């Protein structure tokens, strides 16, 4: 819905709003497991494996991953509230092939049933959002690059009072 002060874009060919180029603009790459709007819950280990990190550790790892590989970082979902979890989406079956640090939670395979929310690429998806979107070149996070980014990030102290 268009707000009172918002300008309505002109209608282009075939009734497409946004002018003559709107119909030919490339849409962002959207894998089948990314919803068109809102959120969708997906079972981990089916469409993707998931590595979950807490707060600053996850956020710092995403920043390092993007610095290392740029737009080829792959899909990473972040939470804006609560514990601020960061979810790295890997190709199905690849999370088990590596040894991950103890503060990284792995969700993959048939033993544990875990669902995570995946936001749409556009629109209101709060409190979930994309820290890095899937692309044709990087439909999933590369485990090797993620391990490299993890090794380059300092491990923050655990939350809570200091022990001394």
């Amino acid at each position: 819905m268009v707000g009172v002060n918002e300008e309505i874009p002109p209608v282009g060919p075939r009734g497409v709003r946004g002018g003559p180029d709107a119909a030919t603009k490339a849409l962002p790459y959207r894998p089948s497991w990314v919803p068109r709007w809102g959120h969708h819950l997906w079972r981990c280990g089916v469409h993707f494996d998931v590595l979950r990190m807490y707060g600053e550790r996850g956020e710092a790892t995403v920043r390092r991953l993007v610095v290392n590989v740029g737009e080829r970082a792959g899909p990473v979902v972040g939470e804006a509230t609560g514990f601020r979890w960061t979810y790295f989406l890997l190709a199905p079956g690849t999370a088990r092939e590596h040894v991950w640090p103890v503060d990284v939670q792995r969700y993959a395979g048939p033993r544990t049933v875990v669902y995570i929310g995946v936001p749409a690429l556009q629109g209101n998806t709060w409190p979930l959002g994309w820290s890095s979107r899937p692309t044709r070149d990087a439909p999933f996070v590369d485990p090797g690059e993620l391990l490299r980014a993890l090794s380059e990030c300092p491990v923050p102290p655990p939350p809570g009072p200091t022990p001394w």
Side-chain angles (χ1 to χ4, degrees), residues 85-152:
W85 292 109
T86 302
Y87 301 89
F88 296 84
L89 282 55
L90 285 65
T94 58
R96 285 194 200 137
E97 298 171 355
H98 302 277
V99 177
W100 301 98
V102 294
D103 64 327
V104 176
Q105 299 173 1
R106 183 184 76 189
Y107 299 124
R111 288 190 189 165
T112 304
V113 178
V114 176
Y115 290 82
I116 69 151
V118 175
L121 295 174
Q122 300 170 333
N124 183 8
T125 62
W126 190 87
L128 299 178
W130 292 101
S131 300
S132 175
R133 293 178 175 210
T135 63
R136 290 191 195 286
D137 295 335
F140 298 103
V141 173
D142 179 84
E145 291 295 341
L146 181 55
L147 279 169
R148 179 177 150 212
L150 278 165
S151 70
E152 295 172 357

Side-chain angles (χ1 to χ4, degrees), residues 2-3 14 38 44 65 75 80 97 125 158 161:
V2 177
R14 290 176 267 140
C44 300
L65 183 65
E97 298 171 355
T125 62

Side-chain angles (χ1 to χ4, degrees), residues 11 19 25 27 31 33 44-45 59 65 69 72-74 76 78 80 92 95 101 116 119 127 138 145 150 152 154 164:
V11 177
K25 282 186 180 176
L27 296 174
W33 43 266
C44 300
E59 294 164 3
L65 183 65
V69 297
R72 295 186 344 261
V76 181
I116 69 151
E145 291 295 341
L150 278 165
E152 295 172 357
W164 59 92

Side-chain angles (χ1 to χ4, degrees), residues 26-43:
L27 296 174
Y29 173 71
R30 189 184 66 81
S32 62
W33 43 266
V34 174
R36 292 188 187 281
W37 57 83
H39 306 93
H40 189 83
L41 292 176
W42 289 108
R43 182 177 172 182

